[in-house]
Amino acid sequence: MPHLLHLDSSIDPARSRSRAVTTAFATAWRGRGDDFTVAYRDLHADPVPHLTDAASHWAPRLRRAGEAPPAAEAALQQRLLDELLAADVLVVGAPMYNYSLPSTLKAWVDHIHVPGSTAPFDTPDQPMAGKPAVLVTTRGAAYDPGTPTAGWDHTVPPLQLILGDSLGMRVAVIEVNLTLSDFVPALADQAERAAAELATAEATARDLALSLP
Ligand SMILES: Cc1cc2nc3c(=O)[nH]c(=O)nc-3n(C[C@H](O)[C@H](O)[C@H](O)COP(=O)(O)O)c2cc1C
């Protein structure tokens, strides 16, 4: 059964563009038939706590002698890992917050990026290798190549590094820029571009959901 893991992390349920695009993806996925199942995790409404024990970063066999993270932390980490490993496709809503990813999404990453388990360390462990991950990133402004703000995006690169390079997933990125053009006067003249990018993003999400994995 093709199974999707759908993550959202926007703190703005009413106006969120990333939620609109990930929902377009999940709706198209479900529309393929009853066997196209979805697990949903809202990292804003139901936040994953920060790790409290450095040993949680490592697969159990790689930990120092005597190290054992708290039982509740280990149990949650295992649940998140099981949820990820069960997925054939991952879709992630990743808004830009302060040029970076939401701390709620980072806390999820900290739980699932585990050398020796989901990522290679001394053995080539990469159980998610080759599976698609679709990142939906939304930003209030724009970070176009050749502009003074090019290179300020620290939302997508770490996710590409973790999900793509480290976990070996096939990462696709869907971008929506200038989402604050309806609110910030200095961006008001870019509202048309913002609307066009949102429409394109929703269409791209639907197309991917109909063709993946
Ligand atoms: C806490 C916070 C920090 C933000 N930081 C940035 C930023 O650094 N750069 C930017 O372009 N937009 C920033 N924004 C605007 C959001 O990226 C934008 O509203 C985006 O559409 C949020 O995703 P969403 O539509 O899915 O909620 C920030 C918004 C919030 C709430």
Side-chain angles (χ1 to χ4, degrees):
M1 279 212 310
H3 185 61
L4 171 69
L5 175 58
H6 171 186
L7 303 178
D8 277 324
S9 58
S10 165
I11 62 173
D12 188 359
R15 281 174 295 267
S16 171
R17 276 35 166 234
S18 63
R19 286 174 184 268
V21 177
T22 61
T23 298
F25 187 103
T27 303
W29 175 269
R30 281 197 184 87
R32 290 172 75 178
D34 290 345
D35 52 339
F36 282 75
T37 55
V38 181
Y40 181 61
R41 186 169 280 278
D42 187 331
L43 294 166
H44 168 66
D46 184 16
V48 170
H50 289 138
L51 292 180
T52 64
D53 190 319
S56 295
H57 181 55
W58 303 97
R61 67 184 169 76
L62 296 175
R63 292 175 189 156
R64 294 175 182 87
E67 278 186 337
E73 180 161 310
L76 174 61
Q77 183 173 38
Q78 194 54 54
R79 203 154 66 241
L80 297 174
L81 287 169
D82 290 345
E83 214 168 73
L84 177 65
L85 296 172
D88 300 296
V89 175
L90 173 67
V91 64
V92 183
M96 175 186 279
Y97 289 162
N98 298 309
Y99 309 108
S100 183
L101 59 159
S103 54
T104 50
L105 179 54
K106 179 60 164 51
W108 178 83
V109 167
D110 288 344
H111 280 75
I112 62 84
H113 182 225
V114 183
S117 170
T118 54
F121 187 68
D122 54 345
T123 54
D125 309 271
Q126 255 186 344
M128 295 304 287
K131 293 185 182 182
V134 179
L135 304 180
V136 176
T137 192
T138 43
R139 305 92 170 252
Y143 302 88
D144 299 333
T147 67
T149 57
W152 290 15
D153 172 25
H154 303 285
T155 308
V156 171
L159 291 169
Q160 281 175 317
L161 194 55
I162 297 286
L163 298 174
D165 297 81
S166 206
L167 272 63
M169 300 183 78
R170 289 187 286 129
V171 178
V173 180
I174 300 177
E175 259 180 42
V176 183
N177 294 288
L178 294 161
T179 62
L180 290 177
S181 60
D182 60 359
F183 177 66
V184 174
L187 299 175
D189 60 344
Q190 312 224 47
E192 212 170 300
R193 173 179 164 189
E197 285 198 19
L198 178 59
T200 301
E202 287 176 329
T204 304
R206 280 191 286 269
D207 287 349
L208 284 173
L210 295 177
S211 62
L212 294 176

